[in-house]
């Protein structure tokens, strides 16, 4: 049951969750250089303010009955055309409040970290304005009470992502990466916008409550079309195949951007969209199957890419792609996996933000070098960074007791219960994850030091290490969300009752198999990397598989072949038609009129005697005609 929030205490202040960071962004952007001395403090304070309000809202929601935890706040009527009315509505429920806490909590830690990381950047105030803008847009997206407000936040997130990826626009690579992310996401946004149009045409409303109530009456083909279009939108934002190519290039932005947008929040928007739209996929089994297929392909795709990269941030980006694939897999499994998808989304937000910020700390200590072949033996020089990064590493590979062990393994269990092949693919992904993450740890923190003579590694300041410590703690303790099946029970009113399927073998046996596969991945990395010296220059005599992984499995080449080149040829053909046929016809008429005017212009020479001759000639002709008529 959805309750209006007109006078519901803390819930009537839900709009402040968005307004605080939005106001921060406006002040910092409009205030100009006058806000430079304190802009970073204001940006951080607004994020912390939203987090505090979100925390208070969460506890207030917990104090309500389980079936009374959906509170709708109507701010104003946004669109009112004929019979179509859309309100600027915010929905606070069990799903949205978890995202609010993740966005504002992790976002606040990243703001604090950025105070130190961006200390010497002359445009730091603008950077914090963009961070605030992103937080506001992402909160709009997850708090929206209807699909049109979701789209508003969706596009706001895209704008903020473009600004942050290309923040160092003086670098051609950063400008190109921002443009690439923007264009690829627009492809996904076409799917999102078409889905919203089809939802309105089908149901006459775009509100979640209205669509959910009427979903059973729609045809399966219509629901399938909506589900597939929503999936296209999700693929763009969450960097899933076939719209994944932008994510690795997006590492050109400052490292806090990678932690905030491309690890903890923005790339999870697609998972949120699929989960929120569970009432659509319930009646669209084909679309639900498509979600699973995309997820399985992506989780393996990203894992393979992570195995061959030497850029520490790109290894983590490939890992993000893969882990989002696990979340999408959980969402694609329907009621059996929705809660686990959100569970892994939250734990991943902790440990991946931890590792991205840890990578930034390593770069800070090595003159912004991102090549792991230039690292080695950094565990002694960066003890805090190493310790916190290790917590994230153990969490992502699924070491027993750490957060990823609980969240990712639950998705693998649900996958095996649904289909053996899907389960095996998810299991293989876990082993490959253990390999490339162990490779990263060995090349960065262990072995012989390989940095240049002018590099003097040193630990980051406390303003950067304290957020690392907090995120490391949550990387360890995040699994407690599953204690007593809490997160499953919490999300049940939104995503439906979990369907339990029989596993092909006991849970403890499957858990031991997953742990064994992870251990195998670690062992292979140790045997191939840990026991051998790491050359400072990547070898060129490598297998075809390594070359493919280094080239992102030819994702850009595939896009160029299937989309870019045909698109250019189509545009060239249309341009030729426009120039030759359409412009030719128009310009031909203009030339004809111009030629006729040129001839007629000769008659208008400005000489009075010429005009007198014409008058005389005309009068003579007229007299002759009149005489001829009278003679008849």
């Amino acid at each position: 049951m959805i309750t209006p929030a007109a006078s519901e205490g803390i819930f009537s202040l839900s709009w402040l969750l968005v307004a605080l960071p939005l106001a921060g962004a406006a002040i910092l952007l409009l205030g100009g250089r006058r806000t430079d001395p304190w802009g970073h403090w204001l940006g951080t304070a607004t994020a912390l303010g939203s987090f505090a309000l979100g925390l208070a809202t969460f506890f207030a929601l917990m104090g309500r009955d389980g079936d009374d935890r959906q509170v709708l706040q109507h701010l104003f009527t946004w669109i009112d055309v004929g019979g179509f009315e859309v309100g600027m509505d915010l929905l606070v429920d069990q799903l949205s409040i978890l995202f609010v806490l993740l966005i504002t909590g992790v976002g606040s830690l990243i703001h604090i970290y950025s105070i130190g990381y961006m200390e010497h950047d002359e445009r730091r105030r603008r950077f914090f304005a963009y961070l605030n803008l992103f937080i506001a847009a992402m909160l709009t997206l997850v708090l929206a009470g209807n699909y049109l407000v979701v789209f508003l936040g969706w596009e706001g997130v895209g704008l903020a992502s473009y600004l942050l990826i290309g923040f160092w626009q003086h670098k051609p690579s950063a400008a190109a990466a921002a443009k690439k992310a923007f264009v690829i996401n627009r492809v996904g946004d076409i799917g999102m916008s078409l889905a919203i149009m089809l939802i309105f045409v089908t149901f006459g409303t775009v509100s979640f409550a209205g669509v959910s109530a009427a979903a059973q009456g729609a045809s399966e083909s219509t629901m399938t079309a909506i589900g597939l279009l929503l999936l296209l939108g999700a693929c763009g934002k969450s960097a899933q195949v076939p719209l994944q190519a932008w994510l690795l290039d997006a590492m050109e932005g400052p490292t806090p951007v990678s932690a905030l947008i491309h690890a903890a929040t923005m790339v999870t928007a697609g998972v949120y969209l699929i989960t929120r739209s569970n009432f659509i996929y319930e009646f669209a089994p084909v679309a639900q199957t498509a979600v699973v297929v995309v997820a399985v392909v992506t989780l393996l795709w990203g894992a393979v890419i992570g195995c061959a990269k030497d850029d520490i941030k790109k290894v983590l980006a490939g890992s993000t792609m893969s882990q989002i694939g696990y979340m999408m897999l959980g969402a694609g499994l329907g009621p059996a996996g929705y809660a686990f998808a959100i569970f892994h989304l939250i734990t991943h937000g902790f440990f991946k933000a931890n590792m991205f910020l840890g990578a930034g700390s390593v770069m800070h200590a090595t003159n912004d070098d991102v090549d792991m072949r230039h690292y080695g033996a950094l565990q002694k020089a960066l003890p805090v960074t190493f310790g916190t990064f290790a917590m994230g590493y153990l969490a992502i590979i699924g070491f027993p007791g750490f957060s990823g062990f609980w969240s990712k393994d639950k998705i693998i269990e649900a996958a095996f219960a649904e289909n053996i092949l899907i389960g095996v693919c998810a299991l293989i992904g876990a082993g490959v994850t253990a390999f490339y993450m162990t490779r990263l740890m060995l090349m960065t923190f262990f072995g012989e030091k390989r940095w240049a003579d002018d590099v003097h590694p040193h630990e980051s300041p406390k303003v950067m290490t304290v957020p690392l410590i907090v995120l490391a703690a949550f990387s360890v303790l995040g699994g407690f969300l599953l204690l007593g099946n809490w997160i499953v029970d919490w999300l049940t009113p939104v995503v439906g009752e979990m369907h339990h399927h029989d596993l092909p073998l006991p849970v403890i046996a499957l858990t031991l198999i997953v742990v064994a596969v992870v251990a195998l991945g670690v062992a292979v990395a140790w045997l191939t990397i840990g026991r051998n010296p790491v050359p400072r220059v990547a070898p060129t005599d490598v297998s075809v598989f390594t070359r493919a992984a280094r080239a992102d499995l030819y994702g850009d080449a595939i896009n160029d072949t299937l989309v870019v080149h045909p698109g250019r040829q189509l545009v060239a053909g249309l341009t030729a038609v426009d120039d030759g046929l359409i412009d030719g016809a128009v310009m031909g008429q203009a030339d004809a009129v111009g030629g006729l005017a040129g001839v007629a212009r000769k008659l208008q020479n400005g000489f009075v005697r010429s005009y007198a001759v014409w008058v005389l000639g005309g009068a003579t002709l007229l007299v002759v005609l009149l005489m001829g008529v009278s003679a008849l």
Side-chain angles (χ1 to χ4, degrees):
M1 180 178 69
I2 296 180
T3 305
S7 58
E8 290 256 351
I10 191 70
F11 298 106
S12 64
L13 301 177
S14 298
W15 62 275
L16 278 175
L17 290 167
V18 178
L20 283 173
L22 187 60
I27 292 171
L28 295 180
L29 290 174
L30 299 177
R33 295 185 178 181
R34 290 170 294 181
T35 64
D36 281 351
W38 44 267
H40 51 290
W41 297 113
L42 176 65
T44 304
T46 57
L48 285 169
S50 284
F51 174 66
L53 181 58
L55 203 59
T57 305
F58 171 71
F59 285 118
L61 207 61
M62 286 190 68
R64 301 167 71 104
D65 293 335
D67 60 349
D68 191 30
R69 288 176 175 159
Q70 292 182 305
V71 183
L72 187 72
Q73 184 179 27
H74 176 74
L75 300 180
F76 55 86
T77 299
W78 181 18
I79 298 174
D80 188 2
V81 180
F84 180 49
E85 182 176 318
V86 178
M88 184 60 67
D89 299 334
L90 302 182
L91 176 63
V92 178
D93 66 358
Q94 296 92 327
L95 179 61
S96 63
I97 197 62
L98 292 181
F99 273 86
V100 166
L101 293 179
L102 178 67
I103 295 164
T104 58
V106 175
S108 295
L109 291 172
I110 293 171
H111 275 70
I112 295 170
Y113 176 97
S114 299
I115 293 173
Y117 190 87
M118 301 294 289
E119 181 179 4
H120 302 295
D121 195 298
E122 61 181 14
R123 299 169 69 237
R124 178 169 66 166
R125 179 259 310 167
R126 184 180 293 272
F127 180 78
F128 275 83
Y130 293 162
L131 287 184
N132 270 195
L133 179 62
F134 170 80
I135 293 289
M138 192 69 194
L139 288 171
T140 301
L141 192 159
V142 300
L143 284 168
N146 58 67
Y147 281 103
L148 211 54
V149 179
V150 168
F151 192 68
L152 177 65
W154 195 269
E155 293 304 299
V157 165
L159 171 63
S161 174
Y162 171 79
L163 294 172
L164 286 166
I165 294 171
F167 184 74
W168 288 326
Q169 70 264 28
H170 60 276
K171 297 166 55 179
S173 56
K179 182 171 67 174
K180 183 176 182 179
F182 189 84
V183 171
I184 292 180
N185 270 272
R186 297 292 75 73
V187 176
D189 291 354
I190 291 174
M192 179 71 169
S193 57
L194 289 175
I196 295 173
M197 294 176 193
L198 187 53
I199 287 171
F200 169 67
V201 169
T202 304
F203 302 106
T205 180
V206 292
S207 71
F208 298 142
V211 176
S212 177
Q216 193 170 3
S219 67
E220 183 176 319
S221 59
T222 299
M223 299 301 275
T224 297
I226 295 172
L228 291 175
L229 289 170
L230 290 176
L231 174 60
L232 180 60
C235 286
K237 277 291 183 287
S238 292
Q240 300 291 282
V241 174
L243 301 180
Q244 82 292 347
W246 66 270
L247 187 63
L248 273 75
D249 295 77
M251 297 303 106
E252 288 290 339
T255 301
V257 174
S258 303
L260 178 64
I261 296 182
H262 309 115
T265 51
M266 172 180 153
V267 289
T268 62
V271 182
Y272 167 81
L273 180 66
I274 301 297
T275 304
R276 175 63 79 184
S277 304
N278 61 85
F279 43 79
I280 289 176
Y281 288 94
E282 180 182 356
F283 301 102
V286 173
Q288 199 167 48
T289 300
V291 174
V292 172
V293 172
V294 166
V296 170
V297 172
T298 305
L299 74 86
L300 293 175
W301 191 291
V304 170
I305 289 175
C307 292
K309 294 294 183 182
D310 294 327
D311 184 322
I312 187 171
K313 289 174 66 177
K314 290 192 175 182
V315 173
L316 294 175
S319 170
T320 295
M321 189 189 305
S322 180
Q323 297 304 307
I324 300 295
Y326 275 104
M327 301 171 206
M328 292 289 283
L329 173 58
L333 295 175
Y338 284 132
F340 297 141
I342 301 303
F343 182 27
H344 191 53
L345 184 152
I346 294 171
T347 60
H348 176 266
F350 296 146
F351 60 69
K352 185 55 67 65
N354 171 27
M355 287 189 289
F356 261 117
L357 296 184
S361 184
V362 170
M363 293 164 57
H364 180 267
T366 56
N367 297 348
D368 289 329
D369 194 346
V370 297
D371 193 336
M372 296 187 298
R373 294 183 179 276
H374 301 165
Y375 297 160
L378 287 175
Q379 82 278 16
K380 293 181 180 179
L382 311 174
V384 177
T385 299
F386 167 67
T388 54
F389 200 103
M391 297 302 101
Y393 158 72
L394 293 173
I396 193 173
I397 68 172
F399 191 85
F402 286 72
S403 59
F405 170 78
W406 304 107
S407 58
K408 187 166 63 177
D409 280 24
K410 282 298 180 182
I411 294 176
I412 294 175
E413 288 177 18
F416 268 105
E418 183 71 21
N419 183 282
I420 295 293
L421 178 60
I422 296 172
V424 169
C425 290
L427 182 61
I428 293 172
V432 179
T433 300
F435 170 80
Y436 68 72
M437 287 306 305
T438 303
R439 174 180 178 267
L440 182 152
M441 289 293 292
L442 292 172
M443 293 179 68
T444 301
F445 296 106
F446 297 96
E448 297 291 331
K449 65 178 185 179
R450 301 182 298 276
W451 58 77
D453 293 337
D454 62 337
V455 174
H456 306 285
H458 54 283
E459 188 58 271
S460 299
K462 287 186 178 180
V463 73
M464 294 170 64
T465 56
V466 169
L468 292 178
I469 294 170
V470 175
L471 288 168
F474 281 108
S475 300
V476 178
L477 303 174
F480 279 103
L481 292 174
L482 193 61
L483 196 63
N485 222 32
W486 180 84
I487 193 166
V488 174
D489 295 337
W490 176 259
L491 289 172
T492 293
V494 178
V495 300
E497 198 75 34
M498 177 171 288
H499 297 170
H500 296 278
H501 299 287
D502 294 331
L503 282 168
L505 66 169
V507 173
I508 185 63
L510 181 57
T511 300
L512 291 174
I513 290 174
V514 174
V515 172
V517 170
V518 168
L520 179 61
V522 173
V524 171
W526 168 252
L527 292 173
T528 56
I529 306 296
R531 297 179 60 186
N532 301 305
V534 177
R536 291 193 85 251
V537 178
T540 56
D541 184 18
V542 295
S543 68
V544 64
F545 301 105
T546 302
R547 286 198 297 272
R550 287 180 179 176
D552 302 344
L553 297 182
Y554 305 112
D556 287 335
I558 293 172
N559 288 340
D560 286 345
T561 302
L562 297 180
V563 179
V564 177
H565 291 319
R568 286 176 177 171
Q569 291 175 354
L570 176 62
V571 170
L574 293 175
T575 301
V577 171
D578 183 60
D579 291 342
L581 183 61
I582 299 176
D583 284 355
V586 174
M587 297 306 296
Q589 294 177 28
D591 290 342
V593 173
L596 181 61
V599 173
R601 186 166 56 245
K602 295 178 181 180
L603 302 178
Q604 299 290 332
N605 56 20
F607 293 112
V608 175
R609 60 178 179 273
S610 298
Y611 298 154
V613 170
W614 282 108
V615 171
L616 178 61
T620 302
L621 179 61
L622 181 60
V623 170
V624 170
L625 288 174
L626 290 174
M627 291 175 63
V629 170
S630 61
L632 294 175

